[in-house]
Amino acid sequence: MLSVETRHAIHPDHARTMGTQELREHFLGTGLFAPGEIRLIYTHYDRFTLGGAVPNGAPLTLDVVDETRTATFLDRREMGIVNIGGTGRVSAAGDAWEMGRGDVLYLGMGAGPVTFEGDGRFYLVSAPAHRACPHRLIKLAEANRVELGEAATSNKRVINQFIHPTVMESCQLVLGYTQLVEGSVWNTMPAHVHDRRMEAYLYWGMTPEARVLHLMGEPTETRHMMIANEEAVISPPWSIHSGAGIGEYTFIWAMAGDNVDYTDMDFVQPADLK
């Protein structure tokens, strides 16, 4: 079963007027991981798409998505897949890849229908592509590891870069995940914006009662949302994206836009946030 929800782009002037429920309706992705279903959110931020696939004992195939008006979803797109569940299997373009928890698979433009099997919980992100790059399965040991932050400021963390120029080739999709060191709670602090790219976060590895206080909005007009496990945030180019969590959590970040330069960002110091 496939379901697709469309999210239109929101101007920052509009976002300033939104209450809690409106913010969640426009920027939060919930219920992405339903047993036996593929659920997608098709956004008008760089035509970025995110979602989840949970085979639940029977194969699931992602093929035609009406919103793209193409023969198959990946005819003019690339895709990143992160397994946040048990061992699973992904098949496409005549190949198959076994994926453990935390593994990342990149599928290039033209891969055709994609089939998901096994005990995996597959997080999917996709962006338009202009050329076909090689498919690749990337294990955590193959990711580029970057350590940032300090224990004194409660933001010591490890950034694992998977779909990234230092690791592999893609068109515009960049993806990785950040793990907080025990005792640290803040991610992406100092905050930043990057007007040339949008971004999406998926928070996972949390206990059912835990929450992340996710900060968004213009630097001088910040807003917040309380995020539960396996919920995603759509972050427009004009918005900061930062947060602090209760207990252990990991977040998957994925970006699409004009470039793949991970360092292309404009920092905003805490003293300048309002």
Side-chain angles (χ1 to χ4, degrees):
M1 177 179 176
L2 170 68
S3 61
V4 184
E5 178 187 356
T6 297
R7 299 283 182 93
H8 291 278
I10 300 299
H11 192 279
D13 289 350
H14 183 189
R16 293 178 195 173
T17 69
M18 291 182 177
T20 298
Q21 188 56 37
E22 284 181 289
L23 287 171
R24 294 175 73 86
E25 288 173 357
H26 286 284
F27 300 109
L28 183 64
T30 63
L32 297 176
F33 301 93
E37 296 185 32
I38 299 173
R39 294 186 175 181
L40 302 178
I41 298 176
Y42 178 88
T43 84
H44 284 259
Y45 298 105
D46 294 298
R47 304 293 169 170
F48 185 90
T49 302
L50 67 154
V54 184
N56 197 39
L60 290 173
T61 298
L62 177 59
D63 189 0
V64 178
V65 174
D66 288 343
E67 282 71 10
T68 65
R69 297 295 192 270
T70 53
T72 68
F73 182 59
L74 294 183
D75 266 16
R76 297 178 58 83
R77 285 180 160 267
E78 57 187 347
M79 175 180 281
I81 302 167
V82 186
N83 183 9
I84 63 171
T87 301
R89 180 182 176 94
V90 178
S91 304
D95 289 317
W97 298 268
E98 299 291 329
M99 295 186 67
R101 182 179 174 86
D103 289 349
V104 174
L105 176 65
Y106 172 82
L107 295 177
M109 184 182 75
V114 184
T115 299
F116 305 91
E117 302 174 86
D119 297 321
R121 295 171 73 79
F122 300 101
Y123 177 56
L124 318 177
V125 296
S126 176
H130 61 277
R131 60 190 174 93
C133 297
H135 314 314
R136 181 173 172 184
L137 176 66
I138 313 151
K139 301 284 187 178
L140 179 58
E142 300 172 289
N144 187 48
R145 178 185 171 95
V146 180
E147 297 184 12
L148 290 177
E150 301 291 340
T153 50
S154 302
N155 69 341
K156 193 171 184 179
R157 59 202 188 274
V158 177
I159 299 173
N160 302 287
Q161 299 168 335
F162 289 84
I163 303 174
H164 186 277
T166 61
V167 179
M168 58 157 289
E169 185 181 22
S170 67
C171 285
Q172 64 164 320
L173 190 62
V174 180
L175 178 146
Y177 53 78
T178 299
Q179 298 169 304
L180 279 294
V181 174
E182 185 176 0
S184 286
V185 297
W186 279 101
N187 70 68
T188 323
M189 184 58 71
H192 63 263
V193 296
H194 30 70
D195 195 50
R196 291 150 295 282
R197 294 173 296 169
M198 62 78 63
E199 189 165 359
Y201 276 17
L202 179 83
Y203 290 97
W204 65 293
M206 299 162 57
T207 60
E209 65 276 8
R211 293 294 184 272
V212 169
L213 174 67
H214 180 89
L215 300 178
M216 62 163 295
E218 296 170 278
T220 58
E221 286 284 347
T222 60
R223 301 291 185 268
H224 74 272
M225 293 188 290
M226 300 302 295
I227 312 297
N229 189 45
E230 296 186 357
E231 292 186 335
V233 177
I234 300 164
S235 186
W238 47 262
S239 175
I240 65 166
H241 36 274
S242 183
I246 302 169
E248 183 180 2
Y249 70 96
T250 297
F251 65 94
I252 301 169
W253 43 266
M255 296 175 279
D258 276 338
N259 65 49
V260 294
D261 181 1
Y262 181 81
T263 64
D264 179 21
M265 59 187 74
D266 301 313
F267 285 100
V268 183
Q269 297 303 318
D272 296 322
L273 295 174
K274 293 180 172 59

